[in-house]
Amino acid sequence: TEIYPNLMVGADVSYTGKRYSDFTNVKEDELDSFAVTNINARYRYKNATFTGYVNNLFDKYAFLTKSSTFGQANVNAPRTVGVNVKLDF
């Protein structure tokens, strides 16, 4: 959404519902629901575009997969903050 000339801001929320990690559907491999929020802003000035973002704004920790059989789990990425600068010639 453009809120000021050449300034754009955005956000998104991704929700994942409660589920089982694999086809066995055992209670030990049940995964809780979670939501992740991301925000970003972009400003264009002459031939430069500046972008800033925060992914996983609230630093939500969640299991993506889990296996009680093998003792393994994968979790989502922690809060990530970044900036980009793009120059057009």
Side-chain angles (χ1 to χ4, degrees):
T1 303
E2 189 169 12
I3 60 170
Y4 190 78
N6 299 322
L7 177 62
M8 303 279 290
V9 296
D12 65 82
V13 177
S14 173
Y15 173 80
T16 302
K18 192 172 189 175
R19 70 232 182 266
Y20 290 97
S21 182
D22 65 15
F23 63 90
T24 58
N25 292 349
V26 294
K27 183 72 174 160
E28 293 81 15
D29 292 339
E30 191 173 24
L31 303 173
D32 291 330
S33 62
F34 67 95
V36 174
T37 304
N38 305 312
I39 60 171
N40 61 73
R42 182 179 70 209
Y43 182 71
R44 182 148 179 90
Y45 180 74
K46 295 185 180 180
N47 69 331
T49 303
F50 304 90
T51 305
Y53 63 89
V54 181
N55 292 337
N56 196 0
L57 177 65
F58 302 110
D59 204 21
K60 177 67 179 171
Y61 181 86
F63 286 102
L64 302 176
T65 63
K66 181 168 63 170
S67 172
S68 58
T69 305
F70 299 106
Q72 298 174 333
N74 292 317
V75 296
N76 63 318
R79 180 185 301 124
T80 306
V81 178
V83 294
N84 296 311
V85 177
K86 177 183 170 188
L87 299 174
D88 295 320
F89 297 97

